[in-house]
Amino acid sequence: MFQVRIHGRGGQGVVTAAELLADAAFRQGQYAQAFPSFGSERTGAPVVSFCRISAAPIRVREPVLAPDALIIQDATLLAGIDVFAGLVPTGYALLNSRHSFAALGLGDRVAPLPPGHAIRVPATELALAHLGRPLPNAALLGAFAALYPGLDLDAVLAALRERFPGAVGERNVAAATAAHDAALAERAATAGTKERVDA
Amino acid sequence: MLSQIEGSKAVAKTVAACRPEVICAYPISPQTHIVEELSRIVKNGELTGCEYVNVESEFAAMSVAIGASATGARAYTATASQGLLYMVEAIYNASGMRLPIVMTVANRAIGAPINIWNDHTDTMSQRDSGWIQLYAEDNQEAADLHVQAFRIAEELSVPVMVCMDGFVLTHAVERVDVPEEADVARFLPPFVPRQLLDPDQPITMGAMVGPEAFTEVRYLAHQSQLDAVDVIERVSAEFASVFGRHTGGLVRGYRLEGAGTVVIALGSVLGTLKDAVDAEREQGHAVGVLGITSFRPFPYDAVRAALAGVAQVVMVERAFAVGVGGIVAQDVRTAVEGTGTRVHTVVAGLGGRPITQASLRGVLAEAYAGELGRLTFLDLDRAVVAAELAREHAAEAPRAAARTAVRSPDAADTVPAGGAVPVR
């Protein structure tokens, strides 16, 4: 079983991201379970959602306590919440930021992860460019398909097109594809050299 | 159709496939996406021959369902939490008049304090209402139970509540084989009411019944619930023959073979429990799980048979009777009466608190060691409780002193012997 925890803020499509991820996994023939953390839903408030992916039916319903992957939609959460809590040593971390983990003071947190497992993409900027709105979730899912070998970009794009029919879907597809490319480039830059330090 | 779908939407599509003729709902929190999706389905023309009634309260929702059902229409509504409480008077009327309404309850806590999250306090408050109560383990079962519920309700002329954990199931997106209309039509015949409000052949339903017959009416309601035990089991088997999967029924055991300890639960926690029990079995502990799908009627014989030879039961409940303890545990104790099986109640998951495998396995370790008490509150923050009790105790001291002063001999000059108050 592969467990993903998504951190973001109300209004950023955190719950939708988990549902889209589950839908993409379903399209790949996997069992998947997506659910939100059940807080009061307010715009801007910290929100967590979860997604489990497995070749076998999923029965467990507790929150994801030891994620195999983290998707961090909003870097401003890092100051107040230990988003890395429970991340397994072989896990993945995907961060929406123009800045590197090291520049954000998180070098120590991602250093133990295998090379190429912690990457950042400027998903908000890509969303603004392609959607015209700062909704990073679709872009991050495209990037996640570049990070996690179990997820295909085509499945993500199909899930996006079903969820957002028409032009909106195509704009999300463009954002996800651009982020996928950015993530591949970031992986190539960070794999083997651990985290690249920049300003 | 096999879909990756939100629990609420899966239920809505399933209900639509059952072709209800009247759906009534009050669209305010606490409500679910179920009726929202059904309103869309009706408006889009995907469900014809159905009137969607937007009512002004949950009381009205159940009242409209009663009226619709009495005129021979297949009637459906959904609610949760305080919404369920608000319709209670009508809930008893529905069962008292033997109207086969099907209602989803997305289980949520009851305030005060305000809490929108999941537990079973809402439906447990209606355990004696005369409705059948079926609890879903996952969203596949939640969907399937609705198809079975209409069959059971209409065969027995008794209303059925399908209880599914709010948020945990209603908001979970997972794989569901949503029952399709053609298959449902093979399983669920058209509704033929037992009695009917018809202007050409007028009758009165729910009329005054005096002491000379009220007991008999109540007894007949009791008998219909006893009959339901067999019907629920049979309907589940017939459902399996049409749809190819086993859902519903009275109880379902998991790894009960040779189990000395059995954990019993209702609803979505069963999945987490099964994973926990797999891990326990790997460590050599003889432990199993018994899921109770039908809480009303309570399947005493099935529970007793499933627990034959079991030393102890850990009853995990998402609600409790304040000042008493477990609710389901009382029925389980009755079921195992005379067998020597010990029953421990563990109250868990109140107001949306997650029930984790780690906590459940901690309780099981206590149970194996013979250290588990009769009543345990899972993950109770004892420090917070102790601090609050100390604060209350401190605040109580001056009030207790005031009461003592009134009763003490020192106060005799203000309250004359005999208690008479002097008249000025």
Side-chain angles (χ1 to χ4, degrees):
Chain A
M1 183 143 59
F2 190 82
Q3 306 189 98
V4 184
R5 196 169 66 208
I6 306 176
H7 292 268
R9 292 187 182 277
Q12 291 178 338
V14 177
V15 177
T16 304
E19 295 177 0
L20 287 165
L21 182 55
D23 190 21
F26 171 72
R27 287 163 195 274
Q28 292 179 232
Q30 300 284 298
Y31 287 86
Q33 174 200 63
F35 60 105
S37 71
F38 307 119
S40 295
E41 291 153 8
R42 300 182 307 276
T43 301
V47 174
V48 181
S49 66
F50 310 99
C51 183
R52 291 190 170 96
I53 300 169
S54 172
I58 301 164
R59 301 183 301 201
V60 67
R61 304 225 174 246
E62 66 187 16
V64 171
L65 304 169
D68 298 290
L70 290 171
I71 299 176
I72 305 154
Q73 293 203 160
D74 192 322
T76 66
L77 291 166
L78 296 166
I81 299 170
D82 183 13
V83 298
F84 287 91
L87 179 63
V88 303
T90 55
Y92 297 88
L94 174 62
L95 173 67
N96 171 22
S97 179
R98 285 180 290 123
H99 306 292
S100 69
F101 287 95
L104 292 166
L106 295 166
D108 291 349
R109 301 307 300 268
V110 298
L113 299 176
H117 275 222
I119 62 169
R120 51 73 192 258
V121 291
T124 299
E125 284 78 1
L126 291 170
L128 282 169
H130 291 279
L131 300 173
R133 296 175 65 195
L135 288 171
N137 57 356
L140 284 166
L141 290 179
F144 193 61
L147 184 62
Y148 170 48
L151 182 66
D152 297 337
L153 179 64
D154 286 347
V156 172
L157 302 185
L160 284 168
R161 287 191 170 104
E162 172 152 326
R163 180 76 173 229
F164 307 108
V168 175
E170 293 310 315
R171 288 200 289 272
N172 276 285
V173 163
T177 306
H180 186 261
D181 292 344
L184 287 176
E186 174 81 359
R187 278 202 82 178
T190 58
T193 62
K194 290 279 181 175
E195 174 68 8
R196 186 161 53 96
V197 178
D198 66 9
Chain B
M1 191 175 73
L2 200 59
S3 310
Q4 184 75 17
I5 189 170
E6 186 192 50
S8 286
K9 286 192 176 169
V11 167
K13 286 177 186 289
T14 304
V15 168
C18 295
R19 300 201 61 86
E21 292 159 290
V22 172
I23 298 170
C24 29
Y26 184 53
I28 194 174
S29 188
Q31 188 49 279
T32 63
H33 298 158
I34 298 171
V35 293
E36 189 179 312
E37 179 71 7
L38 278 167
S39 74
R40 195 193 60 74
I41 290 171
V42 173
K43 192 174 182 203
N44 285 359
E46 294 166 44
L47 173 59
T48 54
C50 177
E51 188 171 349
Y52 191 99
V53 188
N54 219 342
V55 293
E56 76 273 16
S57 73
E58 287 86 356
F59 184 88
M62 184 48 63
S63 299
V64 168
I66 286 171
S69 187
T71 58
R74 183 172 286 164
Y76 170 84
T77 187
T79 190
S81 185
Q82 250 82 2
L84 180 70
L85 296 195
Y86 193 29
M87 62 168 67
V88 166
E89 185 179 337
I91 281 174
Y92 277 75
N93 281 328
S95 57
M97 289 193 277
R98 305 281 303 268
L99 297 170
I101 298 160
V102 170
M103 173 165 66
T104 313
V105 181
N107 287 106
R108 295 195 194 191
I110 297 286
I114 297 172
N115 176 294
I116 62 169
W117 293 274
N118 164 248
D119 69 30
H120 289 171
T121 310
D122 51 4
T123 48
M124 284 295 156
S125 79
Q126 298 309 303
R127 62 167 195 183
D128 301 331
S129 64
W131 285 57
I132 288 169
Q133 285 191 355
L134 307 175
Y135 286 75
E137 176 173 342
D138 54 27
N139 281 331
Q140 184 66 64
E141 186 162 57
D144 293 350
L145 281 179
H146 284 83
V147 184
Q148 298 181 31
F150 280 111
R151 255 296 285 279
I152 295 162
E154 291 169 12
E155 185 166 333
L156 290 162
S157 213
V158 171
V160 178
M161 264 179 226
V162 179
C163 309
M164 64 188 292
D165 283 317
F167 292 104
V168 181
L169 291 184
T170 56
H171 289 53
V173 173
E174 57 191 30
R175 183 184 292 208
V176 178
D177 193 351
V178 180
E180 294 191 51
E181 196 177 313
D183 292 327
V184 173
R186 287 163 57 207
F187 174 79
L188 178 65
F191 174 33
V192 180
R194 235 176 236 199
Q195 53 175 185
L196 188 65
L197 283 186
D198 179 357
D200 294 332
Q201 293 173 301
I203 58 166
T204 301
M205 296 171 70
M208 177 82 80
V209 170
E212 74 288 350
F214 197 79
T215 302
E216 286 68 26
V217 173
R218 278 279 170 263
Y219 180 84
L220 291 170
H222 175 62
Q223 186 61 48
S224 74
Q225 286 261 334
L226 297 182
D227 295 343
V229 170
D230 291 337
V231 173
I232 289 166
E233 199 70 357
R234 173 165 51 75
V235 164
S236 169
E238 289 179 22
F239 183 90
S241 71
V242 172
F243 291 88
R245 55 180 178 266
H246 290 273
T247 49
L250 298 170
V251 299
R252 206 170 313 123
Y254 179 75
R255 304 196 78 167
L256 291 177
E257 62 284 354
T261 302
V262 169
V263 189
I264 304 183
L266 285 64
S268 67
V269 74
L270 285 165
T272 307
L273 269 171
K274 287 175 180 176
D275 276 12
V277 158
D278 279 357
E280 291 292 311
R281 282 271 183 178
E282 266 177 41
Q283 295 196 346
H285 297 292
V287 58
V289 178
L290 184 67
I292 295 178
T293 309
S294 170
F295 174 58
R296 285 293 179 266
F298 194 83
Y300 291 101
D301 292 343
V303 170
R304 188 180 176 94
L307 298 177
V310 169
Q312 59 179 346
V313 162
V314 178
M315 180 69 229
V316 175
E317 304 207 36
R318 273 194 143 121
F320 75 107
V322 177
V324 176
I327 299 169
V328 187
Q330 296 174 18
D331 290 319
V332 172
R333 284 201 180 92
T334 303
V336 299
E337 208 171 302
T339 64
T341 303
R342 299 187 306 280
V343 179
H344 312 275
T345 303
V346 174
V347 178
L350 297 184
R353 178 169 295 185
I355 305 177
T356 64
Q357 294 182 74
S359 294
L360 290 169
R361 295 184 68 186
V363 161
L364 285 174
E366 286 180 40
Y368 307 146
E371 292 165 358
L372 189 60
R374 191 177 166 92
L375 178 62
T376 304
F377 289 81
L378 193 71
D379 297 334
L380 181 70
D381 189 336
R382 295 192 177 281
V384 165
V385 170
E388 176 60 14
L389 289 176
R391 195 189 64 80
E392 282 181 15
H393 184 72
E396 177 63 11
R399 299 199 302 159
R403 285 199 297 274
T404 306
V406 169
R407 286 195 300 270
S408 71
D410 296 344
D413 55 344
T414 56
V415 183
V421 178
V423 179
R424 292 176 194 275

